[in-house]
């Protein structure tokens, strides 16, 4: 100090005090310099007297030093994960999962107990960082408590079969929607990316019985599917056959009507001719009838006035057939 202060430090005068104070002020102001690391997904949030004044990007930035100003650098682009119903214990390079029954056991709407283990994927809201900086003490614990509460509410309105079988996807979507709405009401500045159910099953003591029930349900579903497949095969064929029968009946009806109409028209035509010439019509009808009756038989025509002796030849082939 003797080498720096005027007068060899013999008298710590006003100039020396000013230099010391100036150096202290410069050092204090220098503490306001901070760096925002883009590689870590950080964003700078500046507070002055407890109020958010600015949001800065990557690189060197400056804000009033503490206690006038503060700087928070949350990793808004970092996806975070929160597990409910199971806890992970890390020993060296080994990760062990330990069930947490106080979190995972829940009561369903049909008064059954179900063991639900799920994960929540979330991140801080980049567009409104002051909410999670000023309103939230520990974002992870808040998300965990809110997620467990919402999951219990949704499970309490659902049936056990839906939770452990086909309704899991709908359950996840409902929990995510309600959880995001609840955190928005808290003004937590947190966005929920996804809710993923890891396990949803009956408690361990009664798990084998529920597995049997699930297997029976799957067998019943398979039987229904096979029955539907058979019905989808046999019904169209039966309908096709029925349609064919109807078409054949319709064609036969049209044929019978057409034949009856033709016969009626022919009879009316003959009747008209008969009225005009009864004798001629009778003879023509007689000849036509005899032609139809005798057309396929052997015939011998004799003239009664010729005086010839009738000779009836015998067909050898006909006699052979009769002898046999």
């Amino acid at each position: 100090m003797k080498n720096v202060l005027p007068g060899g430090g013999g008298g710590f005068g006003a100039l020396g005090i000013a230099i010391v104070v100036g150096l202290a002020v410069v050092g204090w102001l220098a503490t306001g310099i901070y760096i925002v690391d883009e590689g870590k997904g950080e964003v700078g949030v500046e507070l002055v007297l407890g109020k958010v004044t600015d949001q800065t990007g990557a690189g060197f930035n400056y804000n009033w030093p503490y206690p006038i100003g503060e700087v928070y650098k949350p990793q808004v682009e970092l996806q975070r994960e929160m597990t409910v119903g199971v806890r992970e214990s890390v020993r060296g390079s080994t990760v062990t999962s330990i069930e947490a029954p106080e979190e995972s056991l829940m009561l369903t709407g049909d008064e059954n107990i179900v063991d639900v283990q799920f994960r929540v994927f979330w991140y801080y809201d980049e567009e409104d960082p002051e909410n999670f900086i000023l309103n939230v003490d520990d974002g992870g614990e808040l998300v965990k408590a809110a997620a467990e509460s919402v999951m219990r509410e949704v499970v309490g309105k659902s049936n056990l079969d839906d939770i452990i079988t086909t309704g899991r996807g709908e359950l996840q979507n409902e929990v995510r929607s309600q959880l995001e709405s609840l955190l928005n009401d808290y003004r937590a500045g947190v966005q929920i990316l996804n809710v993923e159910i890891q396990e949803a099953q009956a408690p361990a003591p009664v798990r084998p019985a529920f597995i049997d029930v699930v297997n029976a349900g799957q067998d019943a579903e398979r039987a229904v599917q096979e029955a539907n497949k058979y019905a989808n095969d046999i019904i169209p064929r039966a309908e096709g056959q029925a349609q064919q029968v109807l078409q054949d009946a319709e064609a036969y009806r049209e044929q019978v009507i057409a034949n009856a109409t033709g016969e009626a028209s022919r009879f009316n035509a003959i009747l008209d001719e008969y009225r005009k010439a009864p004798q001629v019509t009778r003879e023509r009808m007689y000849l036509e009838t005899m032609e139809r009756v005798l057309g396929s038989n052997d015939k011998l025509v004799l003239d009664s006035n010729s005086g010839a002796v009738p000779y009836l030849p015998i067909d050898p082939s006909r006699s052979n057939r009769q002898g046999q």
Side-chain angles (χ1 to χ4, degrees):
M1 294 297 293
K2 291 181 179 181
N3 296 329
V4 176
L5 295 178
F12 199 72
L15 181 57
I17 296 174
I19 292 175
V20 172
V21 172
L23 291 175
V25 171
V26 171
W28 175 70
L29 292 175
T31 60
I33 300 174
Y34 64 94
I35 300 176
V36 176
D37 190 347
E38 184 178 11
K40 295 181 179 179
E42 295 179 344
V43 63
V45 180
E46 297 180 353
L47 283 76
V48 176
L49 300 177
K51 183 178 180 180
V52 176
T53 58
D54 194 12
Q55 180 175 332
T56 58
F60 287 90
N61 298 278
Y62 183 82
N63 188 34
W64 284 98
Y66 185 83
I68 298 177
E70 291 181 274
V71 176
Y72 292 88
K73 295 185 290 182
Q75 295 175 291
V76 294
E77 296 182 4
L78 176 64
Q79 177 180 295
R80 291 167 169 81
E81 178 182 328
M82 179 60 63
T83 303
V84 180
V86 63
R87 297 173 184 172
E88 294 182 349
S89 176
V90 180
R91 292 183 179 179
S93 59
T94 304
V95 179
T96 304
S97 297
I98 304 174
E99 293 188 2
E102 66 276 9
E103 297 176 359
S104 62
L105 295 179
M106 303 179 185
L107 186 65
T108 65
D110 51 358
E111 298 182 354
N112 287 299
I113 296 177
V114 62
D115 188 351
V116 180
Q117 300 174 8
F118 64 99
R119 298 178 185 272
V120 181
F121 300 91
W122 59 282
Y123 57 90
Y124 287 120
D125 190 356
E126 181 180 1
E127 298 181 356
D128 196 7
E130 63 179 284
N131 281 338
F132 61 82
I133 291 175
L134 300 179
N135 300 335
V136 178
D137 184 23
D138 187 342
E141 288 300 321
L142 174 62
V143 171
K144 182 175 183 179
E148 182 180 349
S149 175
V150 172
M151 180 63 76
R152 290 185 181 278
E153 179 182 355
V154 175
V155 168
K157 298 178 182 178
S158 305
N159 295 327
L160 178 62
D161 290 341
D162 296 335
I163 297 172
I164 64 178
T165 55
T166 59
R168 184 175 298 185
E170 184 178 352
L171 182 69
Q172 292 176 159
N173 294 333
E174 182 66 21
V175 172
R176 187 195 63 79
S177 177
Q178 291 194 24
L179 178 58
E180 191 168 49
S181 177
L182 178 62
L183 292 175
N184 289 337
D185 292 340
Y186 287 161
R187 298 182 63 189
V190 171
Q191 292 294 325
I192 302 300
L193 181 62
N194 192 23
V195 175
E196 181 179 310
I197 296 178
Q198 302 296 111
E199 290 187 9
Q201 53 189 350
V206 295
R207 195 166 296 168
F210 276 91
I211 292 176
D212 292 340
V213 172
V214 172
N215 292 337
Q218 292 175 351
D219 293 341
E221 182 66 22
R222 183 166 52 252
V224 171
Q225 292 177 356
E226 292 177 355
N228 291 334
K229 180 180 178 181
Y230 176 75
N232 293 333
D233 176 62
I234 197 66
I235 291 177
R237 286 194 294 169
E239 291 177 348
Q241 294 175 357
Q243 188 66 27
Q244 182 65 37
V245 170
L246 291 176
Q247 292 177 356
D248 292 344
E250 184 70 20
Y252 177 74
R253 184 177 71 89
E254 296 295 333
Q255 180 182 358
V256 170
I257 292 176
N259 291 338
T261 303
E263 291 295 331
S265 300
R266 179 174 174 275
F267 179 80
N268 291 331
I270 294 174
L271 179 61
D272 292 338
E273 295 298 327
Y274 179 80
R275 289 173 178 173
K276 295 178 182 177
Q279 183 62 31
V280 174
T281 303
R282 281 196 299 269
E283 291 180 358
R284 182 169 64 83
M285 292 177 64
Y286 172 78
L287 293 176
E288 289 177 355
T289 302
M290 294 303 294
E291 180 181 2
R292 288 196 300 271
V293 173
L294 302 176
S296 59
N297 299 323
D298 295 335
K299 295 172 285 298
L300 181 62
V301 180
L302 297 177
D303 187 357
S304 59
N305 299 324
S306 63
V309 177
Y311 172 72
L312 301 177
I314 300 175
D315 188 357
S317 61
R318 179 179 300 177
S319 62
N320 291 336
R321 289 197 300 270
Q322 292 176 352
Q324 293 176 354

